[in-house]
């Protein structure tokens, strides 16, 4: 996860990923199974249960189920269901429905952290006291997001990940202007994932990762 430790996350890594995406190269990336939760994938019971403003998703449908990981593969989003309003899917949709959808979305799934990640700069200096502990977290949407056509411009402003007493607030941003969004038939997402707060401690704006 970029900028979650001094060995990863920088805009040069983003640019390198963009080059691979432009070439249409598909990388098969194996995630490490050694996590604090014993490798078990926890699943939230309902992605809309704790969403404060998901009233625009009246008849929910799962558009895609994706995974995405930080460059170091120390942090992975797993089995993330992207939930949308069924009536917003265009009538001519076939195959990958997310290509023919624009409107509100929510997400649910898991986050697996294989080693603790600290909010530090590239020299190892602490930017805040935020530490993302190792383990398997249940992830739910707290504030409804948006998705544009063809899986671009995905934005979810607030998700909450929970493991034991640790409560992590995060956001997902995948601007189409950077070529980011869903790919590989909706099974992967290329996005900036930011950790904004941990147990009510505000993290720095540099505590993020360029996931793919």
């Amino acid at each position: 996860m970029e900028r979650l430790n001094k060995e990863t996350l920088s805009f040069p890594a983003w640019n390198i990923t963009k080059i691979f995406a432009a070439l249409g190269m598909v990388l098969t990336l194996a995630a490490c199974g050694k996590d604090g939760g014993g490798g078990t994938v926890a699943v939230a019971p309902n992605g809309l249960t704790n969403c404060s403003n998901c009233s625009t998703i009246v008849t929910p449908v799962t558009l895609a189920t994706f995974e995405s990981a930080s460059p170091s593969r120390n942090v992975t989003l797993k089995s993330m269901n992207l939930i949308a309003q069924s009536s917003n899917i265009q009538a001519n949709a076939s195959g990958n429905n997310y290509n023919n959808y624009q409107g509100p979305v929510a997400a649910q799934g898991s986050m697996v952290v294989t080693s603790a990640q600290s909010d530090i700069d590239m020299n190892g200096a602490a930017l805040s006291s935020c530490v993302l502990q190792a383990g398997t977290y249940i992830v739910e949407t707290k504030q409804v997001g948006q998705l544009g056509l063809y899986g671009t411009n995905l934005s979810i402003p607030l998700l909450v990940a929970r493991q034991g007493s640790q409560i992590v607030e995060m956001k997902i941003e995948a601007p189409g202007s950077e070529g980011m969004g869903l790919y590989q038939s909706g099974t992967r997402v290329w996005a900036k994932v930011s950790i904004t707060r941990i147990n009510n401690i505000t993290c720095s704006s540099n505590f993020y990762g360029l996931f793919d």
Side-chain angles (χ1 to χ4, degrees):
M1 187 168 186
E2 302 210 26
R3 295 196 184 279
L4 289 187
N5 59 51
K6 64 183 179 181
E7 297 178 353
T8 56
L9 281 202
S10 62
F11 279 102
W14 189 346
N15 292 332
I16 289 171
T17 307
K18 285 174 66 179
I19 291 171
F20 279 116
L23 293 174
M25 299 180 69
V26 176
L27 302 180
T28 302
L29 302 168
C32 178
K34 296 184 292 181
D35 62 271
T40 301
V41 176
V43 178
N46 186 331
L48 305 180
T49 300
N50 296 312
C51 184
S52 62
N53 62 343
C54 282
S55 59
T56 51
I57 304 178
V58 179
T59 53
V61 63
T62 298
L63 278 181
T65 301
F66 65 84
E67 296 191 359
S68 193
S70 65
S72 65
R73 291 10 222 178
N74 287 331
V75 184
T76 304
L77 297 175
K78 286 183 168 289
S79 302
M80 295 290 293
N81 292 322
L82 191 63
I83 302 165
Q85 168 58 25
S86 61
S87 62
N88 283 35
I89 300 175
Q90 295 182 15
N92 62 347
S94 62
N96 299 322
N97 282 339
Y98 70 86
N99 280 328
N100 298 279
Y101 179 88
Q102 58 181 339
V105 290
Q108 68 172 35
S110 302
M111 178 172 67
V112 177
V113 182
T114 60
S115 60
Q117 307 289 303
S118 299
D119 186 7
I120 58 178
D121 65 19
M122 300 304 291
N123 296 314
L127 298 174
S128 76
S129 58
C130 288
V131 177
L132 182 64
Q133 299 293 345
T136 299
Y137 295 73
I138 291 175
V139 179
E140 296 178 281
T141 296
K142 184 66 174 177
Q143 292 182 10
V144 72
Q146 292 289 320
L147 179 68
L149 289 172
Y150 308 110
T152 64
N153 293 318
L154 172 63
S155 174
I156 304 178
L158 179 58
L159 301 101
V160 176
R162 294 181 175 86
Q163 178 200 227
S165 61
Q166 189 161 70
I167 300 174
V168 178
E169 297 178 23
M170 53 198 291
K171 63 181 178 180
I172 295 176
E173 301 167 284
S177 60
E178 297 292 340
M180 305 175 89
L182 294 164
Y183 70 99
Q184 201 167 306
S185 299
T187 62
R188 306 291 302 185
V189 69
W190 177 22
K192 179 180 179 180
V193 179
S194 302
I195 305 298
T196 57
R197 287 166 62 89
I198 297 179
N199 289 347
N200 293 320
I201 297 172
T202 300
C203 308
S204 80
S205 60
N206 287 326
F207 203 26
Y208 68 85
L210 299 175
F211 281 41
D212 66 4

